[in-house]
């Protein structure tokens, strides 16, 4: 099939390359000329494992092209909207400027029978409004097809998704749209990927409620960590024990410095704002608590560092291991790790931060921080080491080796990934989150 993808960020670039990899002919459109140049050369403008390989191979087949010109979508029959929906300035609501502009810009190039497919995360009710714009402005239809990919596993999640959701218009238009989407996703469907076909509102809500549930799960275990901290209990054992109940499950029960990134934090806020607009604020009022618990964990890590330094932070050397919001990503949007580094710097500590992939992005936003290219350099002469993104190279650190570099012997494990006994046996003061 001939497809277009409007918006070539984390979502769109991966979607475009993956669809081409599956055999479709794809053009990716973005207003950012530098991004388009880089993608055209087969270079991913951000770190995403597996993306450079499929970009290069798909470009070589001639099936994948990129452009800044919306008119280049002409000839494609299915058009994916994959632009960002960031948090609005001065409000918790989602900013729909880019989605609206993408759809409005696309309409003049749509042909009779084309399908516009929304992938961006939007407040419930948006698809209905956009559908009216599309059908009134062209002979095309609109479907809503939320995306569940995780950064770091985005290519795998796009090529082999764990489920597909189609939000469709009613009647014959819906049947036609379903047939078009079935053709796009023929490979996944032939591998028995579960498919839910539904209306627009349900499809939109599936996406935000999935992220709200995941955020709630993380804040639930972090709330248990807070209780564990005043009772001497161990939240990691607690998570293992409750996780054996398959109704609960162990995944997303890792207590630590909390969630960040471009999705979970902004999605729960936008959901709260939308529910309030709908007069149903109380239904998701608990998400404010989820947000608050999450943010308290960052305070907790900062306070643990301050305590470890006996309350005297000024000019004390602190090594911060991790800047990305999670491993296998260079994304620093709302990253708890970067937040901890910035706050410690603000308190006057001599912070040296490192991350295998996220230094360049961090430096752009926070040039005041000192960065080291690797963990050894970051930790040299540090009084306190704080681990806030669980990259494998940090998980594998050996206490004896670290002790040969640092001035102090305190390690704060903001992700609960180190072996407390091993570090204590090597004469370290080990401090986890919610564990003795
Ligand atoms: C999230 C969802 O997991 C995807 O399903 C969704 O498609 C995506 O948002 C999106 O809306 O686009 P992502 O933001 O890539 O994906 O990251 P996650 O893997 O969900 O991690 C989010 C944050 O939670 C990270 O900061 C991570 O460190 C933290 N986390 C995760 C925990 O603190 N504890 C856990 O047990 C798991």
């Amino acid at each position: 099939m001939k497809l277009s993808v409007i918006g070539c960020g984390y979502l769109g670039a991966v979607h475009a390359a993956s669809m081409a990899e599956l055999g479709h002919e794809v053009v990716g459109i973005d207003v950012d000329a530098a991004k388009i140049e880089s993608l055209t050369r087969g270079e991913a403008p951000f770190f995403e494992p597996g993306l450079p390989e499929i970009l290069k191979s798909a470009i070589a087949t001639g099936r994948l092209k990129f452009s800044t010109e919306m008119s280049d979508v002409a000839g494609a029959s299915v058009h994916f909207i994959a632009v960002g929906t960031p948090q609005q300035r001065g409000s918790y609501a989602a900013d729909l400027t880019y989605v609206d502009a993408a759809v409005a810009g696309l309409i003049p190039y749509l042909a009779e029978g084309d399908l516009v497919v929304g992938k961006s995360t939007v407040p419930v009710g948006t698809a209905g409004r956009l559908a009216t714009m599309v059908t009134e402005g062209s002979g095309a239809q609109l479907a809503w097809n939320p995306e569940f990919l995780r950064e770091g596993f985005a290519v795998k999640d796009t090529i082999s998704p764990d489920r597909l959701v189609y939000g469709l218009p009613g009647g014959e238009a819906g049947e036609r749209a379903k047939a078009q989407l079935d053709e796009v996703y023929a490979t996944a469907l032939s591998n028995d990927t579960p498919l839910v076909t539904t209306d627009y509102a349900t499809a939109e809500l599936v996406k935000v409620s999935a992220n709200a549930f995941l955020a709630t799960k993380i804040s639930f275990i972090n709330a248990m960590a807070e209780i564990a901290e005043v009772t001497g209990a161990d939240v990691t054992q607690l998570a293992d024990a409750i996780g054996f109940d398959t109704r609960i499950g162990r995944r997303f029960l890792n207590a630590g410095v909390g969630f960040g990134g471009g999705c979970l934090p902004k999605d729960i806020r936008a959901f709260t704002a939308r529910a309030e607009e709908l007069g149903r604020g109380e239904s998701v009022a608990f998400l404010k608590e989820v947000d608050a618990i999450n943010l308290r964990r960052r305070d907790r890590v900062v306070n643990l560092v301050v305590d470890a330094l006996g309350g005297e932070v000024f000019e004390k050397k602190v090594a911060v291991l991790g800047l990305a919001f999670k491993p296998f990503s260079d994304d620093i949007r709302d990253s708890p790790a970067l937040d901890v580094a910035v706050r410690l710097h603000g308190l006057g500590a001599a912070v040296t931060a490192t991350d295998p992939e996220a230094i360049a992005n961090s430096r752009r936003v926070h040039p005041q921080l000192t960065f080291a290219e690797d963990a050894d350099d970051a930790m040299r002469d540090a009084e306190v080491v704080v681990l806030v993104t669980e990259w494998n190279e940090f998980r594998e650190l050996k206490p004896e080796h670290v002790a040969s570099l640092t001035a102090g012997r305190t390690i704060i494990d903001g992700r609960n990934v180190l072996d407390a006994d091993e570090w204590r046996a090597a004469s370290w003061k080990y401090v986890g989150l919610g564990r003795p």
Side-chain angles (χ1 to χ4, degrees), residues 11 121 147-153 157 163 207 210-211 214 217-218 221-222 250-267 294 324-327 329 331 334-336 388-390 415:
L11 168 59
T121 302
E147 183 54 61
F148 306 104
L149 63 79
R150 299 157 299 165
E151 285 178 26
F153 303 91
D157 287 352
R163 82 282 212 191
K207 170 67 194 202
N211 276 0
L214 293 172
K217 209 171 170 189
I218 299 168
I221 202 66
N222 281 329
R250 180 63 179 81
R251 294 176 75 192
F252 272 66
L253 281 184
N254 294 322
V257 69
F259 60 81
C263 304
L264 264 43
K266 93 159 159 71
D267 288 354
N294 189 52
F325 84 106
K326 68 173 190 181
S329 173
D331 197 343
D334 209 344
S335 167
V388 267
T389 312
E390 69 277 32
R415 292 291 183 178

